[in-house]
């Protein structure tokens, strides 16, 4: 029972990180005290950097089977979550899109894709309860998106009020 709760907590954290990528990046890239990119260039930057980050994630996906077979699931999972957390924390430390924001964005994708693609649920629930456990997981995911969106909008409002 503790394992399934830990799995759902991991899902919550992971989806919060993913929502951070999609919700707050425009604010950070266009903010004059951060990356200070012209607003008309931000969508192109987000798209291009996102494309390269997903290419990295696809390549990682091709290698994950070998990595999991070699190291097990726990080490890559913990490393991926730490990697994503450090990359998110590092984004405000830099002001150059290339290479720093690009590196952080790729590291966030690489860290979060591990938890999204790793099959844990069948290990922790009975075969007849996988659907129910998956539906609980979807509620957790939705809660994480709502929680992170609300938090990110509050942070954005604070930043806007400071300027």
């Amino acid at each position: 029972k503790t394992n399934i709760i830990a799995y759902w907590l991991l899902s919550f954290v992971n989806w919060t990180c993913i929502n951070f990528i999609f919700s707050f990046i425009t604010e950070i890239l266009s903010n004059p005290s951060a990356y200070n990119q012209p607003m008309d260039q931000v969508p192109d930057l987000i798209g291009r950097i996102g494309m390269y980050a997903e290419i990295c994630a696809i390549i990682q996906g091709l290698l994950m089977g070998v990595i999991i077979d070699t190291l097990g699931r726990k080490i890559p999972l913990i490393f991926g979550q730490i990697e994503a957390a450090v990359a998110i924390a590092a984004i405000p430390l830099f002001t150059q899109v290339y290479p720093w924001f690009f590196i952080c964005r790729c590291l966030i994708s690489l860290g979060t894709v591990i938890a999204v693609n790793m099959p844990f649920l069948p290990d922790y629930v009975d075969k007849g309860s996988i659907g129910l456990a998956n539906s609980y997981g979807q509620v957790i995911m939705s809660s994480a998106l709502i929680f992170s969106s609300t938090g990110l909008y509050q942070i954005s409002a604070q930043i806007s009020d400071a300027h």
Side-chain angles (χ1 to χ4, degrees):
K1 188 168 183 159
T2 304
N3 288 339
I4 192 70
I5 293 170
Y7 169 74
W8 285 328
L9 181 61
L10 174 68
S11 294
F12 183 86
V13 170
N14 202 53
W15 283 105
T16 301
C17 291
I18 290 170
N19 196 39
F20 173 83
I21 295 168
F22 295 123
S23 297
F24 205 52
I25 296 304
T26 303
E27 172 68 29
I28 291 174
L29 288 175
S30 62
N31 191 313
S33 63
Y35 289 90
N36 198 23
Q37 297 298 306
M39 194 58 184
D40 62 334
Q41 294 178 8
V42 169
D44 182 54
L45 276 172
I46 292 172
R48 199 168 343 111
I49 291 171
M51 177 189 69
Y52 291 122
E54 291 307 312
I55 289 171
C56 293
I58 289 169
I59 292 169
Q60 178 189 17
L62 295 172
L63 302 173
M64 278 311 295
V66 175
I67 293 169
I68 290 170
D69 288 345
T70 305
L71 301 173
R73 289 186 286 187
K74 188 185 296 183
I75 293 171
L77 180 68
I78 298 301
F79 180 76
Q81 292 299 295
I82 291 170
E83 173 186 324
V86 168
I88 288 172
I91 285 176
L93 300 177
F94 304 108
T95 58
Q96 295 175 331
V97 173
Y98 293 104
W100 302 117
F101 177 79
F102 175 76
I103 291 169
C104 289
R105 174 62 173 87
C106 288
L107 290 174
I108 293 168
S109 288
L110 292 173
T112 56
V113 79
I114 294 171
V116 170
N117 293 332
M118 198 170 291
F120 281 114
L121 205 53
D123 292 347
Y124 302 128
V125 297
D126 295 330
K127 188 175 182 178
S129 301
I130 290 179
L132 181 61
N134 190 44
S135 66
Y136 289 155
Q138 293 299 315
V139 170
I140 297 292
M141 179 189 72
S142 299
S143 301
L145 295 177
I146 292 168
F147 171 78
S148 60
S149 294
T150 305
L152 291 171
Y153 290 133
Q154 290 298 320
I155 292 169
S156 178
Q158 293 295 326
I159 291 172
S160 295
D161 289 345
H163 295 288

